[in-house]
């Protein structure tokens, strides 16, 4: 499982059954970007190697609705980090700055090498506001911008290729067999890595301090940090049953709590925040997508039928309706799911963001029920991303749902046109490339469909898969020579194939060096 793979990564090593001898922390943390001999490019290559395996894992979740929501918070925090001077241009340009979501009920999040970030659905499922989720992301962004992973590697001198291989192989093995992955993580060279890559208390406090500043700079309420700390503090009082692994990798010490309480006191007390319907609904989505089991799904699906449900506060009722509708869809009762989604839309009608999420859910359920024309009724026209960050995913969920509905209703040309516009700013979006492949296939354009399928693999760093698809495109072009349009497409395929082959050779060379 992707969750198991992420949990096995030494960048967030789990505490062993017998605590290892503590590593002496340096008296003074290095200055920003001072990470010993490990360069940002080397750290990025390490992150790419880990992300490449996580993309392949069946529990990697490219859910457009959750992804767009998380990405919106992530991008806003990056803007805030730039404004505060916490994100130097070298890291800004070289790092990936991508969030990978894993389908897992564990409450956990991870800063990965090279600007990647891992978040499990279990963590999204426990937050109640954008500000709470932003506080976790801000903390983790600070681990990345302060290069804590590279600093810890530097404590033991330059990382050898064998050690780098152990990190990647541990993630690979755990994604298929958690026991094997755990064995790799505590054996051989990896044992040293695991001991050294636990975040020090100084680093945790530094991430709290800088993360708090990034959070407020980005326009999020400081209460988000406070309420998330309260949740973590409450969870830390409960015996560790595995539900909060974030606390094992980020121990909530009394000093961290005191530091945050002092920061809160230094700020003027703000007004009580209104209910965040969007977050409450998507927390329900995350819980359902985390595969809680049939019995739990049935309980959530039937909650609106329980006595007293109508007496619940509106935010609580809306969250339950969303989870119930999605759970009913998982249980294959689409008629009931659509009825619950309609109730949800009425319940959140006064809240724009909440209503938007309800409409996306209605469109999603209509597609699952084989009603693409009805799905189009619920979907707004996705805006073309504008502003300071054109890579933001604003409108992605509606775009992909609408493209699917258009392709199924004979409007594939409109779908492909909108997707191609999107690709101008998002050339590495695998979900959009997959939708474009389907749209081109529906228009009887197999060469273009093969080209798009290659881009899906390329975006996930599956270079061998990209080579396979683009070679198939070349073969098709030779067997079915066409007009000038096909010549343009095959020229693009030839160019992209050379890029993929070069990347595959580089990947193979890097793997040899790690052996």
């Amino acid at each position: 499982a992707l969750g198991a793979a992420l949990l096995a990564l030494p960048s967030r090593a789990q505490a062993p059954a017998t605590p290892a001898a503590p590593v002496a922390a340096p008296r003074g943390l290095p200055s920003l970007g001072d990470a010993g001999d490990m360069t940002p490019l080397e750290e990025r290559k390490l992150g790419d190697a880990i992300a490449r395996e996580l993309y392949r894992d069946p529990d990697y979740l490219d859910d457009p609705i959750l992804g767009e929501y998380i990405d919106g918070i992530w991008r806003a925090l990056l803007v805030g980090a730039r404004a505060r001077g916490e994100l130097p241009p070298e890291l800004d340009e070289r790092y990936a700055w991508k969030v990978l979501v894993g389908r897992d009920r564990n409450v956990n999040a991870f800063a990965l090498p090279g600007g990647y970030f891992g978040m499990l659905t279990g963590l999204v499922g426990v937050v109640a506001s954008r500000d709470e989720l932003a506080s976790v992301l801000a903390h983790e962004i600070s681990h990345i911008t302060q290069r804590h992973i590279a600093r810890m590697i530097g404590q033991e001198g330059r990382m050898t290729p064998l050690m780098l291989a152990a990190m990647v192989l541990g993630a690979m093995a755990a994604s298929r067999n958690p026991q094997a992955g755990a064995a790799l993580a505590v054996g051989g060279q990896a044992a040293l890595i695991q001991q050294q890559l636990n975040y020090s208390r100084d680093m945790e406090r530094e991430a709290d301090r800088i993360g708090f500043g990034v959070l407020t700079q980005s326009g999020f309420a400081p209460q988000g940090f406070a309420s998330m700390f309260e949740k973590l503090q409450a969870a830390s009082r409960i015996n560790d049953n595995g539900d909060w692994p974030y606390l094992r990798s980020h121990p909530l010490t009394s000093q961290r709590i005191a530091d945050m309480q002092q920061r809160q006191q230094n700020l003027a007390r703000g007004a009580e925040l209104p209910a965040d319907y969007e977050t409450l609904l998507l927390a329900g989505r995350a819980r359902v997508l985390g595969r809680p089991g049939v019995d739990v799904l049935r309980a959530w699906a039937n909650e609106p039928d329980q006595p007293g449900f109508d007496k619940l506060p509106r935010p609580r009722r809306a969250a339950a309706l969303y989870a119930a509708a999605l759970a009913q869809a998982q249980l294959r009762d689409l008629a009931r799911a659509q009825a619950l989604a309609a109730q949800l839309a009425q319940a959140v009608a006064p809240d724009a963001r909440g209503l938007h999420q309800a409409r996306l859910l209605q469109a999603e359920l209509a597609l699952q029920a084989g009603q693409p024309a009805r799905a189009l009724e619920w979907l707004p026209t996705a805006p073309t991303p504008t502003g300071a960050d054109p890579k933001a995913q604003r409108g992605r969920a509606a775009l992909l749902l609408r493209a699917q509905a258009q392709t199924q209703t004979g409007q594939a040309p409109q779908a492909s046109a909108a997707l191609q516009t999107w690709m101008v700013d998002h050339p590495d979006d695998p979900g959009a490339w997959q939708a474009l492949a389907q749209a081109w296939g529906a228009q009887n354009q197999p060469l273009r469909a093969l080209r798009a399928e290659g881009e899906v693999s390329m975006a996930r760093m599956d270079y061998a898969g990209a080579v396979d698809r683009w070679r198939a495109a070349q073969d098709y072009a030779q067997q079915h020579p066409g007009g000038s349009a096909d010549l343009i497409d095959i020229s693009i395929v030839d160019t992209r194939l050379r890029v993929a082959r070069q990347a595959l050779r580089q990947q193979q060379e890097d793997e040899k060096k790690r052996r």
Side-chain angles (χ1 to χ4, degrees), residues 305-451:
D305 298 327
Q306 300 304 310
F309 180 78
D310 291 340
K311 301 296 191 298
L312 293 174
R314 185 187 294 265
R316 172 72 180 83
R317 194 165 69 251
L321 283 169
Y322 191 105
L326 198 58
Q328 290 285 11
Q330 297 275 321
L331 296 169
R332 299 293 187 268
D333 189 347
L334 290 172
R336 177 59 176 156
Q338 288 179 299
L340 289 168
Q343 293 182 42
L344 169 66
Q346 293 180 349
V348 299
D351 184 88
R353 285 184 172 178
L355 182 59
H356 174 69
Q357 293 301 330
R359 295 304 190 203
L360 291 179
L361 177 63
Q362 287 181 295
E364 180 183 28
L365 295 175
L367 285 168
Q368 292 181 26
Q371 304 164 350
R374 188 177 182 188
L376 289 172
E377 298 175 3
W378 305 122
L379 294 170
T381 300
T384 300
T386 58
D389 192 350
K391 294 183 179 180
Q393 294 184 7
R394 291 186 300 274
R396 180 176 186 258
L399 171 77
L400 296 186
L401 289 169
R402 189 173 56 257
Q404 183 180 351
Q406 289 174 327
T407 300
Q408 294 177 14
T409 55
Q411 303 176 63
Q414 292 91 321
S416 58
L419 289 165
Q420 286 177 277
T421 299
W422 176 263
M423 292 303 179
V424 172
D425 289 321
H426 305 83
D428 59 349
D429 183 342
W433 279 115
Q434 188 62 56
L436 188 55
Q438 294 169 354
W440 274 337
Q443 297 172 66
N444 195 27
Q445 298 184 36
L447 177 58
R448 286 187 167 185
L450 288 168
R451 172 191 156 196

Side-chain angles (χ1 to χ4, degrees), residues 201 229 233 251-261:
R201 292 185 178 184
F229 259 66
Q233 187 176 16
L252 196 65
T253 63
S254 58
Q255 187 169 3
R256 287 183 68 200
I257 295 172
D259 287 347
M260 192 52 59
Q261 288 174 341

Side-chain angles (χ1 to χ4, degrees), residues 93-111:
E93 295 171 4
R94 288 188 179 272
Y95 281 7
W97 302 118
K98 290 184 179 179
V99 179
L100 305 181
V101 180
R103 190 193 303 268
D104 195 297
R105 287 175 290 161
N106 281 312
V107 179
N108 218 343
F110 312 83

Side-chain angles (χ1 to χ4, degrees), residues 26-44:
R27 292 185 178 181
L29 288 171
S31 61
L32 181 63
D34 182 1
D37 291 331
M38 193 175 197
T39 68
L41 179 58
E42 289 172 330
E43 192 177 346
R44 170 64 189 272

